[in-house]
């Protein structure tokens, strides 16, 4: 899931500018799990905006804002409000906010900061697992990501400063390459570690494969 945190109110307020009438949209998926864009957070932000004298025309929970097909369908429920609104505040990741922006054709204010793809330990505690590097090495590393696990993001082996398994860059952290080695030993796949991999390619960004539609 995409892990997000709320933007400071001052930043959101600045982005709202002179707009008076808004729709607040949340994400019932990742952002709801993060408790940054669920229905409670939509209500909280809407009430904050109303306290500031702004009008909130609708509060919307989008099941999956980054899925344009679903979002296009769900926006039909608030067509009138959208026509009357000066813009939309999105408590979603940047993908969701951009999907909404393209579909509504009005100013969209992003209310969250997205950080990484992570797993959930418990409410409010997440582990960064993937930085979306575009060239995954998990098959060679026993399923442990060195890009997110190493403070230097090293993906072809440990740095020279690794000290008896301790990370030299972050006190208290075990070197991720130590963990990778142990995992591969346990799995009997140590050969994968020894494979010489070429330098990391430039980060590949996902591309749109189709026409943009409204
Ligand atoms: S190697 Fe790259 S794609 Fe694979 S989990 Fe790590 S950051 Fe994500
Ligand atoms: S000690 Fe290991 S985890 Fe720490 S910076 Fe060096 S390679 Fe990365």
């Amino acid at each position: 899931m995409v892990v997000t945190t709320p933007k400071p109110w001052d930043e959101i307020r600045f982005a709202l500018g002179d707009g008076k009438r808004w729709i607040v949209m949340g994400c019932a998926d990742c952002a709801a799990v993060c408790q940054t864009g669920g229905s409670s957070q939509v209500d909280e932000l809407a009430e904050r905006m109303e306290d500031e004298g702004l009008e909130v025309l609708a509060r919307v929970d989008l099941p999956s804002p980054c899925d344009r097909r679903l979002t296009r369908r769900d926006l039909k429920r608030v067509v009138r409000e959208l026509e009357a609104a000066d813009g939309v505040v999105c408590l979603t990741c940047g993908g969701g906010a951009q999907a909404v922006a393209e579909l509504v054709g009005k100013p969209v204010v992003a209310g969250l900061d997205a950080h990484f793809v992570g797993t959930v330990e418990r409410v409010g505690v997440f582990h960064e697992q993937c930085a979306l590097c575009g060239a995954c090495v998990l098959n060679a590393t026993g399923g442990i990501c060195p890009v997110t696990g190493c403070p230097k993001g090293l993906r072809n082996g440990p740095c020279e400063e690794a000290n008896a398994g301790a990370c030299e860059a972050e006190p208290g952290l075990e070197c991720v390459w130590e963990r990778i080695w142990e995992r591969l030993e346990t799995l009997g796949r140590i050969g994968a570690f020894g494979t010489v991999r070429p330098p990391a390619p430039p980060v590949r960004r996902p591309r749109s494969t189709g026409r943009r539609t409204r």
Side-chain angles (χ1 to χ4, degrees), residues 22-23 25 71-72 75 79 81-88 90 96-109 213-214:
W22 293 89
I23 295 175
M25 294 188 182
T71 299
R72 183 182 295 110
L75 291 179
V79 168
E81 290 88 344
L82 277 169
E83 282 173 2
D86 295 316
V88 177
C90 280
Q98 290 179 70
V100 170
E102 290 186 12
L103 290 166
V104 303
K106 292 206 171 190
V108 165
V109 170
T213 54
R214 285 183 182 271

Side-chain angles (χ1 to χ4, degrees), residues 26-29 62-68 71 91-93 95-97 99-100 103:
C27 165
D29 202 346
L62 296 170
S64 186
C66 54
D67 187 327
R68 294 181 195 201
T71 299
L91 296 183
T92 69
C93 72
V100 170
L103 290 166

Side-chain angles (χ1 to χ4, degrees), residues 129-138 145 147:
Q129 309 278 203
C130 176
L132 308 174
C133 75
C136 193
V137 295
L138 287 181
C145 171
V147 177

